[in-house]
Amino acid sequence: MAPPNEATKPVIDGSHTDNPTGLFTLSDSKLRVNGVTLLSEVPENITFNSFSSICPTSQAPPPLFQQVQSRSHMGGFIGFAQPQPSDRLMNFLGRFTCRNFLSVFRFKTWWSTMSVGTSGSDLQMETQWVLLEVPELDSYALILPLIEGKFRSALHPGRDGHVMVCAESGSTEAKASAFDAIAYVHLSDNPYNLMKEAYSAARVHLNTFRLLEEKSPPPIVDKFGWCTWDAFYLTVDPVGVWHGLNEFVEGGVSPRFLIIDDGWQSVSIDGENPMEDTKNLVLGGTQMTARLYRFEECDRFKKYRGGTMFGTDAPPFDPKRPKMLIAKAIEVEQAEKALDKADQNGVTELSEFESRIRELKHQLSAMMGGGEGGVGAFTKDLRTRFKCLDDVYVWQALCGAWGGVRPGATHLESKVVPVTVSPGLDGTMNDLAVVKIVEGGIGLVHPDQAADYFDSMHSHLAQSGVTGIKVDVIHTLEYVCEECGGRIELAKAYYEGLTRSLVKNFKGTGLLASMQQCNDFFFLGTQQIAFGRVGDDFWFQDPGGDPMGAYWLQGVHMIHCAYNSLWMGQIIHPDWDMFQSDHLCAKFHAGSRAICGGPVYVSDSVGSHNFGLLKKLVHPDGTVPRCQHFALPTRNCLFKNPLFDGETVLKIWNLNKFGGVVGAFNCQGAGWDRGEKRIRGFPHCYKPTLGSVHMTDIEWDQKIETAAMGEAEEFAVYLDQAEDLKLMTRESEPMQFTVQPSSFEIFSFVPVRKLGQDLRFAPIGLVNMFNCGGTIIEVDHRVGGEGKVGVRIVVKGGGKFLAYSSGRPRKGLLNGGEVEFEWSVDGKLSLCVDWVGESGVSEVGFVF
């Protein structure tokens, strides 16, 4: 049997065709690539333009421009013209049926996810890109909507297999009727190269953003951290944060970064005292109409005094308190929903409902009591006590708070702007955040003052010891752009101001982007930003009330992250978000975070941790054995539905310094319901699922440093959950496995090297860590006289070191001293390694 992904491929080289525009042609109402029809019934008003005709020069770095030029025959631009100018134009693009595709679309204003199908009508509204399988050429084609002038574009479904392109400005002040490059198409025989090449072409053409390879992500990508959100929600205070960090340190995993999430800002709600903190905010949602009235911290933090937590009389903390507050706030929320339902059902006597709400709010107020906190002195005390804490980030909405900046409260010109939701978002999921923002409008700082606005907030934070920001609620600008020249013009002003502040105040890297998963942001906001979320929020339970949601929502989260990384990973370093280590599916999450290639951070409540699980992810010094790349779906998952087709296991691949890894996750059981416009459970799919894995599932050539490993003749394969070691060659049949619902297996592939005449050897790593291969730092082999062979492996961490060895060593060494080891005839070679010193780096050796 031929190994997967190794079929003979036809030659694709547009430089040897007679077509001056390259591989793509538009004629006879058909868009063809190398003679294969991609789109039929293309309207006469659609144009196709070669890359060089649209982009003859560029301000991009010359080497990047030259790379893109060398592949320019592989792609081109699509445009269209209509008789009448408008601020929103819909145009048929063409038709395709019976062709597998993968796409990503917005299911909420700020979140995107994957969708698969076989015709243009299967697309979802607000599709960000579509990847088409072209088996006739053993290749793949991408249609990538772009921005042009004051317009951004997205794909939409049409009837009978048709695809539509939507170009919109977001303002009646910005109209157009014709476009030359509103979308880009590209072809490649490698889907991962295709994404890289297409976004490189877009970068060179637009010159409004930079690729990840041109930027540096923040240092936290290699580290373990704690985010306060699920631990406290809006009740976060210094005492709770202090005790939370202390628990991690005492538990043996020291956070290297802290994210103080929503709840620290000075916000007030309309109708209350505009210059005082709104009281008794607990749950997410209650703060979504609040506006920022000062750039400094709220009173809970502002009152903190240096040294407060060091004395013998340091304030105590009750770990039950946040959960009690959250439970009481949920009671209030449910009582308010009951009142709304009664009113909608025509109940006229509502006094009993209102009395109940007043009583619950009174109880909540009494429970909240007083609190103390403060940012400048607080961060100084944190670093004094917690020596490993490198970074402190704080949360903000792009516009300040969820409701923006309060007019008249600061030196800036701010105006409450009514919210207008684009028609393109009609097909998205009902969202409490959108409802609240529409209800209150946004206090928008004038775009001319965007730079002053960001610097006013960030300079105070930087002077207070804050090293970065989590910028959330990013994609609200499209709601309030009518009077600002449209969404592109408003976004340019805000992102330019944010970029300048990031460079000035946070070393140019200290920013985590969130709620940003739309092409406007990626094409306009990432000149400097290099790190961002690729999934929606971690939900510990289904907000819709499905009790099984605590399980199936976790698989949905992984799907978002894996498939979004295909495009976002070209521009930002993917962040898979936090989770809680004591959750029902914590281990499921942990397995994915271990090989995602980004940071590991949790939102554990104080007193609620699974340190045993965390220690399979995190070293004692708060660093993580991170993969060398970012995790992506394997080729044989690209056009499948790992959520509710009942048969596909999500497989993601990544690379380590001396091997590769495939994670197999059973995410079946939920997904997007087009008719109901929501993500819901598909319980009949929540079952054990069969799968297979092969060394060719790993895209070894995606990094120059790992490409040679893919040519190895034999691999040792370690199964993390099964704790088993197997061998595989390139010619081997794929390895079969079964994964239970909300469960996983991690397969670590390490090339087997021949040493001397008979010895075959492969270092696996510290197998007490999920990503065992990530613990290996260096490997040396020495073949001496008289058949003597020496192997030296430098590892970071402590635990059980495992290797495959076809022969028994004469001697085992650890940090220069001889130690005992175990070897069995099936090739398993192991010894115990202790964490050494501050770095935890040890030298393992074997003499044969």
Side-chain angles (χ1 to χ4, degrees), residues 154 173 213 228 233 375 377 410 450 478 511 522 528 647 655 668 734 785:
E173 298 176 358
E213 66 190 48
T228 63
Y233 294 129
V375 172
T410 71
E478 66 180 279
L511 190 149
F522 285 92
Q528 190 69 30
E647 61 183 27
L655 301 165
Q668 292 283 333

Side-chain angles (χ1 to χ4, degrees), residues 520-543:
D520 301 41
F521 169 79
F522 285 92
F523 290 147
L524 296 170
T526 56
Q527 191 73 22
Q528 190 69 30
I529 295 171
F531 183 48
R533 291 265 301 276
V534 289
D536 69 340
D537 292 329
F538 161 74
W539 291 96
F540 67 90
Q541 62 184 13
D542 177 23

Side-chain angles (χ1 to χ4, degrees), residues 96 101 103 115-124 157-158 161-162 674:
F96 76 88
F101 76 77
S103 67
S115 180
V116 294
T118 57
S119 87
S121 298
D122 294 334
L123 290 170
Q124 307 289 335
H162 281 277
R674 185 173 188 159

Side-chain angles (χ1 to χ4, degrees), residues 46 51 59 137 164 210 279 294 305 307 377 393 398 436 447 454 486 501 515-516 543 552 575 630 675 684 722 816:
I46 292 288
F51 184 89
Q59 295 179 352
L137 302 173
M164 302 196 73
R210 291 193 297 163
K279 304 295 189 295
R294 68 182 177 198
R305 295 295 176 263
Y393 280 41
L398 180 68
K436 289 290 186 179
F454 286 115
S501 182
M515 299 178 73
Q516 85 296 4
W552 56 251
D575 168 37
F630 47 89
H684 63 283

Side-chain angles (χ1 to χ4, degrees), residues 478-523:
E478 66 180 279
Y479 290 163
V480 289
C481 58
E482 167 62 33
E483 298 178 4
C484 301
R487 59 197 291 171
I488 301 298
E489 296 304 302
L490 179 58
K492 284 180 178 178
Y494 262 67
Y495 294 144
E496 181 182 350
L498 179 60
T499 296
R500 288 167 59 181
S501 182
L502 175 60
V503 171
K504 176 189 173 186
N505 296 299
F506 302 122
K507 299 183 179 179
T509 63
L511 190 149
L512 167 59
S514 180
M515 299 178 73
Q516 85 296 4
Q517 295 170 7
C518 182
N519 54 5
D520 301 41
F521 169 79
F522 285 92
F523 290 147

Side-chain angles (χ1 to χ4, degrees), residues 71-135:
R71 296 187 294 260
S72 61
H73 60 281
M74 308 294 283
F77 295 98
I78 293 174
F80 70 86
Q82 292 188 2
Q84 297 296 323
S86 174
D87 59 303
R88 188 171 191 268
L89 301 99
M90 296 287 292
N91 206 98
F92 285 102
L93 198 59
R95 176 177 182 268
F96 76 88
T97 59
C98 302
R99 186 175 294 284
N100 291 333
F101 76 77
L102 165 67
S103 67
V104 159
F105 71 100
R106 284 203 288 173
F107 70 95
K108 289 186 179 181
T109 298
W110 14 72
W111 302 128
S112 293
T113 193
M114 61 86 77
S115 180
V116 294
T118 57
S119 87
S121 298
D122 294 334
L123 290 170
Q124 307 289 335
M125 296 178 71
E126 275 296 305
T127 289
Q128 312 282 293
W129 52 264
V130 58
L131 175 70
L132 299 166
E133 189 176 31
V134 191

Side-chain angles (χ1 to χ4, degrees), residues 11 76 283 323 434 477 483 549 618 807:
V11 175
L283 297 178
K323 294 181 179 180
V434 176
L477 293 180
E483 298 178 4
V618 183

Side-chain angles (χ1 to χ4, degrees), residues 8-176:
T8 302
K9 299 175 181 178
V11 175
I12 301 173
D13 185 357
S15 62
H16 298 299
T17 71
D18 294 329
N19 171 25
T21 63
L23 294 178
F24 287 88
T25 58
L26 177 59
S27 62
D28 302 324
S29 299
K30 293 179 180 180
L31 179 67
R32 298 184 179 92
V33 57
N34 239 22
V36 175
T37 299
L38 281 186
L39 297 175
S40 61
E41 300 181 29
V42 177
E44 291 184 357
N45 70 333
I46 292 288
T47 59
F48 180 82
N49 299 293
S50 68
F51 184 89
S52 57
S53 68
I54 296 294
C55 187
T57 62
S58 174
Q59 295 179 352
L64 178 60
F65 183 42
Q66 291 165 9
Q67 288 176 20
V68 171
Q69 277 189 314
S70 71
R71 296 187 294 260
S72 61
H73 60 281
M74 308 294 283
F77 295 98
I78 293 174
F80 70 86
Q82 292 188 2
Q84 297 296 323
S86 174
D87 59 303
R88 188 171 191 268
L89 301 99
M90 296 287 292
N91 206 98
F92 285 102
L93 198 59
R95 176 177 182 268
F96 76 88
T97 59
C98 302
R99 186 175 294 284
N100 291 333
F101 76 77
L102 165 67
S103 67
V104 159
F105 71 100
R106 284 203 288 173
F107 70 95
K108 289 186 179 181
T109 298
W110 14 72
W111 302 128
S112 293
T113 193
M114 61 86 77
S115 180
V116 294
T118 57
S119 87
S121 298
D122 294 334
L123 290 170
Q124 307 289 335
M125 296 178 71
E126 275 296 305
T127 289
Q128 312 282 293
W129 52 264
V130 58
L131 175 70
L132 299 166
E133 189 176 31
V134 191
E136 303 95 321
L137 302 173
D138 197 15
S139 294
Y140 309 85
L142 185 75
I143 304 177
L144 177 64
L146 298 173
I147 58 174
E148 183 174 354
K150 296 184 177 182
F151 285 71
R152 58 81 67 169
S153 65
L155 301 177
H156 289 246
R159 294 181 179 177
D160 192 28
H162 281 277
V163 182
M164 302 196 73
V165 61
C166 173
E168 58 186 343
S169 71
S171 172
T172 54
E173 298 176 358
K175 296 183 179 181

